[in-house]
Amino acid sequence: MVLTLTLSKSLASQGGAVLGAPEVIDTLVDTGRSFIFDTGLNPPAAGAALAALDVLASDPALPGRARERALAISNLAAGSGLETARPAAAVVPVFLGEPQAAVRAAEICAEHGLRVGCFRPPSVPKGRACLRLTARATLDESDLTRLRAALAEIASSTGRSLHP
C-alpha cells in the first residue's frame, strides 16, 4: 500500500509525504525525477505537522466541524447569488469570472476584516477567476455574519445579487 498526503492543507504545515514500504520509497527516491532535485521537508514544517497531529488526537471532531463550516460558507455564497461549488473539504471557491471582479471581491472581503485567497489566470482558467474561502473549525456566528455581509456586497457589485 502507498499513501500520499498533503501537510499544507490537512495539517497547516507545508509540503507532503509519500508513505509506503521501504522498497517503494527507495524506488521513488531513485527514479522520481521531481524528487531527485527536491529538498527535504524543513524541520519547522515537520514540527508543525506533528503538533497538528497532537491537536487532532486531542479533538478528533475538528475536521468534521471545519467541513460543516465550509458547507455553511458555500450556502452563504450560493444564497447571495454567487457561483460556488459544494466543498469536498475546507476550501470553498467563489467564481467571479474576470480577474478585476475577483480582485475587487477580495478588497471587499478585506474591508469586512476577512482575509481570502484571490486566484486569477494563469493559476485558474481564463474566465474562472475566483476567491478561495477557507473554513476552519473555530469559525463562529459573528464570522459568518461578516462573511454574509461581504458576500452580499460582492454579489451586488457584480450584478448577481438575488436580493435587490
Side-chain angles (χ1 to χ4, degrees):
M1 173 185 289
V2 177
L3 297 173
T4 60
L5 57 105
T6 173
L7 302 177
S8 60
K9 293 187 178 55
S10 60
L11 296 174
S13 181
Q14 85 178 56
V18 177
L19 309 176
E23 300 81 15
V24 172
I25 301 305
D26 289 344
T27 300
L28 289 174
V29 169
D30 292 338
T31 62
R33 290 182 53 83
S34 61
F35 181 79
I36 291 170
F37 300 106
D38 199 3
T39 57
L41 189 60
N42 66 63
L50 286 173
L53 285 173
D54 288 340
V55 170
L56 284 174
S58 69
D59 190 352
L62 284 172
R65 287 199 303 269
R67 283 190 293 276
E68 289 170 6
R69 300 311 188 274
L71 184 56
I73 289 169
S74 177
N75 289 338
L76 287 175
S80 295
L82 297 168
E83 181 187 354
T84 187
R86 184 174 178 89
V91 176
V92 180
V94 176
F95 301 103
L96 295 157
E98 295 307 311
Q100 303 87 333
V103 169
R104 179 62 189 131
E107 290 169 352
I108 290 169
C109 287
E111 291 164 6
H112 286 267
L114 305 167
R115 292 185 55 184
V116 302
C118 179
F119 289 76
R120 304 167 304 278
S123 298
V124 295
K126 187 175 180 179
R128 296 300 281 172
C130 65
L131 297 181
R132 280 181 44 149
L133 309 177
T134 305
R136 63 178 194 280
T138 58
L139 285 177
D140 61 23
E141 198 54 43
S142 69
D143 296 318
L144 294 176
T145 297
R146 282 186 307 151
L147 178 59
R148 181 181 295 111
L151 292 172
E153 188 175 335
I154 291 166
S156 177
S157 75
T158 59
R160 300 173 193 191
S161 180
L162 292 178
H163 311 287

